[in-house]
Amino acid sequence: MPNRPYIYYDYTKSLCPTCLELVDAKIVFQDEKVWMLKHCKTHGDSRSMIADDVEYYKQIRNYRKCL
C-alpha cells in the first residue's frame, strides 16, 4: 500500500478551477490544514486549502449534520 502524505477524510464534488466542470474531489488533512484535492480529465490535478484548522473543520461538519 502506498504511503500518502495526507489523511483521507471525505469525498465530494467540486469545480475545476480552469474550466468550471464538475469534478471528483477528496477532502484530506495534511500539515494540520484541510485540503480539497481535485482531478479534471482535461486540466489534471489541483488542490485548494479549505480550512487552516482541522479540528475547527470537523466541528463545523458535525454541526451541519445536526441541522
Side-chain angles (χ1 to χ4, degrees):
M1 177 181 285
N3 189 11
R4 304 227 191 281
Y6 58 77
I7 297 171
Y8 173 83
Y9 182 71
D10 203 0
Y11 165 85
T12 190
K13 295 284 189 173
S14 186
L15 299 176
C16 170
T18 304
C19 66
L20 302 179
E21 289 291 322
L22 192 63
V23 297
D24 293 335
K26 292 180 191 175
I27 305 295
V28 301
F29 301 152
Q30 183 177 12
D31 301 325
E32 299 182 26
K33 294 177 175 58
V34 183
W35 297 89
M36 184 177 288
L37 307 180
K38 307 175 189 182
H39 179 76
C40 176
K41 292 178 183 177
T42 305
H43 299 102
D45 296 330
S46 64
R47 87 181 204 163
S48 57
M49 187 175 62
I50 56 175
D52 61 1
D53 185 327
V54 171
E55 292 307 316
Y56 176 76
Y57 180 80
K58 287 180 181 178
Q59 289 176 0
I60 294 301
R61 293 283 301 222
N62 288 334
Y63 177 75
R64 287 183 46 213
K65 289 178 184 178
C66 295
L67 295 180

